[in-house]
Amino acid sequence: MLKPICIAIIGAGSSYTPELLDMIGKMQDQICVGEIRLCDTNPKRLEIMEQFTRRFLANIGLKIKVWSTEDRIKAIDEADFIVTQIRVGGNEARVQDEKIPLKYGLLGQETTGAGGFAKALRTIPVMLEIARDVEKVNPKAWIINYTNPTGIVAEAVTRYTEARFIALCGGGRHPGNMLYKKYGITHDRVRYDYFGLNHFNFSYNITVDGEPITDEQWVGIAEECGVNPELTVKMKLLPSLYLPYYHNRLHKVKMQQEASRTRGEEVLEIEKELFRQYADPSVCTKPELLSRRGGGDYAEMALGVIRAIAYNDDTFAVCNVPNKGIIPFLPDEAVVETACMVNASGAAPIAFKNFPDSVRGIVAAVKNYESLTVEAAVEGDRDKALFALLAHPLIMDYDLAKPLLEDLLQANRRFLPAFFNK
């Protein structure tokens, strides 16, 4: 019989929470959840999500203790796992992140470029507070993070705290997803080397049942992957869906400038309707609309890692973890996104070789930007913040970076006291 576990969800007012509930139901023969604690700083959303959670679990016949609190310490205390999915500033701040860079002819995006930089500055201090609370109150618990930008957040937490922390992203399942979509090959049969960073990664040496995929299969998944198929085949690398922001930068910026609204504005409308449905006492299933919100594979990865740790079951998963020599030309403390074996000891990177030369330099450049961003956020250092923007391959221009930084800091002033209290 499986040991019951307690999961606390920090940021439970997120529209993603029903994805977790749905996966708990689908995996009930693999994982036993005895208690769910919902925690959020928005009392209205928290109340709506608590009532929806109770209806949802009752509808699928699961008897799980559910309660909510705005007190983070109460939620954390004695929980086995703490899932973090916060959004500092909400989607209103995301819209700013998208629009301000476009004024300078630069990409405006939630986690990439200057927009991701602004989000990281807002998010890192709060995530460090959460991690330090876990260190103090419940050091044996594991934090399973889906707060973006997840790789940068992971570097901040693992560099500046001792919390047990694993950061995830649905993109880690991308190669398996493509092979399943194109050929019906299930994830458990697929393995691959995975090189890079969150939202800037590349899969290669892809095998099915231990055998390399064929040239025909490479072409097939290149056609499905959502990135330039010609480039994918030439590189023999299956890239992150974010690669076009780099390799088709001008086209992406032009598309954003011509769009009637940003993705953040679309999400605000989607979430308004989602919460109307969550608040409806007759709604007890995951709304169809949630599929338009994004976050694919979020819950399956989170629950898979939680199951692997809780029951000490070796499981292949792509995680964001400290490098520790896996990629020899990056610092040991730098967080990378890579294939890992997960069990009760945590996530251990799987050693690999033959790093692809075609992307080695740009991965190192983006990592440099990320590390500088972490230090800038922790120290409230404007110079390091400027250096971070200059290091980013999508910016790299002093005449743009200097006024852009000031715009971003002023727009986020209430979230960034460290930059203004000096």
Side-chain angles (χ1 to χ4, degrees), residues 57-86:
L57 295 175
N59 184 59
I60 62 174
L62 276 182
K63 294 181 179 180
I64 298 175
K65 181 180 179 182
V66 175
W67 56 279
S68 68
T69 179
E70 294 174 55
D71 186 332
R72 190 164 70 216
I73 298 300
K74 287 183 179 178
I76 289 169
D77 190 24
E78 296 186 351
D80 298 300
F81 296 91
I82 296 117
V83 175
T84 46
Q85 51 180 36
I86 67 172

Side-chain angles (χ1 to χ4, degrees), residues 8-22:
I9 305 174
I10 309 298
S14 165
S15 58
Y16 287 137
T17 297
E19 297 279 13
L20 280 171
L21 304 176
D22 186 49

Side-chain angles (χ1 to χ4, degrees), residues 237-250:
L237 301 171
L238 187 64
S240 161
L241 294 174
Y242 288 71
L243 186 68
Y245 293 128
Y246 294 82
H247 287 176
N248 303 101
R249 175 178 54 85
L250 296 177

Side-chain angles (χ1 to χ4, degrees), residues 197-253:
L197 315 171
N198 179 241
H199 289 182
F200 196 67
N201 49 67
F202 304 86
S203 306
Y204 59 108
N205 292 340
I206 302 172
T207 64
V208 175
D209 300 329
E211 294 296 323
I213 63 171
T214 65
D215 289 344
E216 180 184 352
Q217 286 173 322
W218 257 114
V219 172
I221 62 174
E223 292 170 349
E224 294 285 349
C225 76
V227 178
N228 186 315
E230 180 183 1
L231 181 59
T232 300
V233 171
K234 282 180 181 294
M235 296 173 76
K236 269 294 178 74
L237 301 171
L238 187 64
S240 161
L241 294 174
Y242 288 71
L243 186 68
Y245 293 128
Y246 294 82
H247 287 176
N248 303 101
R249 175 178 54 85
L250 296 177
H251 173 68
K252 286 293 186 180
V253 170

Side-chain angles (χ1 to χ4, degrees), residues 323-344:
N323 181 38
K324 294 182 179 178
I326 290 295
I327 301 176
F329 52 87
L330 294 180
D332 282 354
E333 71 274 13
V335 163
V336 297
E337 189 167 86
T338 189
C340 297
M341 194 58 64
V342 185
N343 53 35

Side-chain angles (χ1 to χ4, degrees), residues 22-292:
D22 186 49
M23 192 54 58
I24 287 171
K26 290 177 178 177
M27 293 178 63
Q28 59 184 289
D29 60 334
Q30 303 172 53
I31 187 169
C32 178
V33 179
E35 183 177 351
I36 296 174
R37 302 173 180 180
L38 307 172
C39 182
D40 203 279
T41 57
N42 185 320
K44 183 178 179 180
R45 280 194 169 205
L46 185 60
E47 171 63 19
I48 289 171
M49 197 56 68
E50 180 183 1
Q51 296 308 316
F52 175 82
T53 298
R54 293 181 186 279
R55 295 194 306 272
F56 184 95
L57 295 175
N59 184 59
I60 62 174
L62 276 182
K63 294 181 179 180
I64 298 175
K65 181 180 179 182
V66 175
W67 56 279
S68 68
T69 179
E70 294 174 55
D71 186 332
R72 190 164 70 216
I73 298 300
K74 287 183 179 178
I76 289 169
D77 190 24
E78 296 186 351
D80 298 300
F81 296 91
I82 296 117
V83 175
T84 46
Q85 51 180 36
I86 67 172
R87 183 179 287 274
V88 180
N91 278 300
E92 292 80 7
R94 172 181 179 168
V95 173
Q96 288 185 149
D97 296 344
E98 293 167 334
K99 288 187 172 183
I100 291 173
L102 286 174
K103 289 168 46 181
Y104 298 88
L106 299 171
L107 181 79
Q109 211 280 327
E110 179 189 16
T111 61
T112 300
F117 166 80
K119 185 173 188 184
L121 294 189
R122 289 194 304 273
T123 305
I124 286 169
V126 180
M127 285 300 299
L128 287 175
E129 288 177 8
I130 294 171
R132 286 165 180 153
D133 283 346
V134 174
E135 271 189 295
K136 181 179 178 181
V137 175
N138 189 5
K140 292 184 179 180
W142 282 93
I143 301 172
I144 308 299
N145 182 64
Y146 257 98
T147 296
N148 270 325
T150 192
I152 301 178
V153 166
E155 183 156 329
V157 171
T158 54
R159 279 179 65 177
Y160 293 96
T161 82
E162 297 297 324
R164 303 167 91 180
F165 190 93
I166 297 175
L168 302 174
C169 176
R173 287 169 56 86
H174 188 46
N177 287 346
M178 293 303 98
L179 284 165
Y180 180 76
K181 183 178 180 181
K182 185 70 176 179
Y183 301 107
I185 297 169
T186 56
H187 279 266
D188 58 307
R189 299 171 58 196
V190 182
R191 292 290 182 271
Y192 39 89
D193 288 338
Y194 193 98
F195 166 71
L197 315 171
N198 179 241
H199 289 182
F200 196 67
N201 49 67
F202 304 86
S203 306
Y204 59 108
N205 292 340
I206 302 172
T207 64
V208 175
D209 300 329
E211 294 296 323
I213 63 171
T214 65
D215 289 344
E216 180 184 352
Q217 286 173 322
W218 257 114
V219 172
I221 62 174
E223 292 170 349
E224 294 285 349
C225 76
V227 178
N228 186 315
E230 180 183 1
L231 181 59
T232 300
V233 171
K234 282 180 181 294
M235 296 173 76
K236 269 294 178 74
L237 301 171
L238 187 64
S240 161
L241 294 174
Y242 288 71
L243 186 68
Y245 293 128
Y246 294 82
H247 287 176
N248 303 101
R249 175 178 54 85
L250 296 177
H251 173 68
K252 286 293 186 180
V253 170
K254 186 173 184 289
M255 285 181 61
Q256 290 184 342
Q257 290 173 329
E258 293 175 351
S260 60
R261 58 180 181 173
T262 70
R263 172 59 179 166
E265 289 171 318
E266 291 177 2
V267 167
L268 282 169
E269 288 300 311
I270 291 170
E271 290 207 331
K272 183 178 179 180
E273 174 58 21
L274 278 173
F275 273 88
R276 188 196 67 76
Q277 294 185 39
Y278 293 151
D280 184 340
S282 68
V283 175
C284 56
T285 59
K286 187 174 72 171
E288 184 72 25
L289 180 63
L290 189 54
S291 64
R292 290 177 50 201

